[in-house]
Amino acid sequence: QVQLVEPGGGLVQAGGSLRLSCAASGSTSGNYRMGWFRQAPGKEREFVAAINWSSTVTYYADSMKGRFTISRDNAKNTMYLQMNSLKPEDTAVYYCAADHSGGTVRTGRNWNYWGQGTQVTVSS
């Protein structure tokens, strides 16, 4: 069992930046990937980014490339999402996730553990 905690979130103006974090606890031994999804009201959950155990491979949704950066610190069991050049359409609840089983990172069903989510609001 793995528990994921997402402190923070926040409100920023368009063009601003925000850094999200996700701390894992519980059965965190062994290699596992981590990632981020987001969901706006009335919309389905959308893949944002993912990173492997050794931080040698990252994945981003096309709309995030060049603006968002995913990273992790395994000594702290913590993952980060640096968001720059934020747009109003980035407004959503952001969820962190972790997984041991693999599969396509863009599909939510391929992730075993989920955080509670944190609200990110980007104003005009």
Side-chain angles (χ1 to χ4, degrees), residues 36-38 46-50 59-62 64 68 81 94:
W36 295 92
F37 287 73
R38 69 185 185 185
E46 175 188 25
F47 171 75
V48 175
Y59 303 86
Y60 297 93
D62 288 343
M64 323 301 171
F68 291 7
L81 183 68
Y94 284 70

Side-chain angles (χ1 to χ4, degrees), residues 5 15 35-36 41 45 52 55 62 67 75 77 82 98 100 102 107 122:
V5 178
W36 295 92
R45 192 163 295 187
N52 72 342
S55 298
D62 288 343
R67 300 191 300 123
N77 290 323
Q82 178 66 47
H100 287 98
T107 303
V122 184

Side-chain angles (χ1 to χ4, degrees), residues 2-7 21-23 34-37 45 79 93-98 111-118:
V2 175
Q3 293 78 47
L4 303 174
V5 178
E6 305 175 50
S21 63
C22 174
M34 299 188 75
W36 295 92
F37 287 73
R45 192 163 295 187
M79 174 183 61
V93 175
Y94 284 70
Y95 298 89
C96 67
W111 297 81
N112 299 124
Y113 308 104
W114 293 87
Q116 293 289 325
T118 186

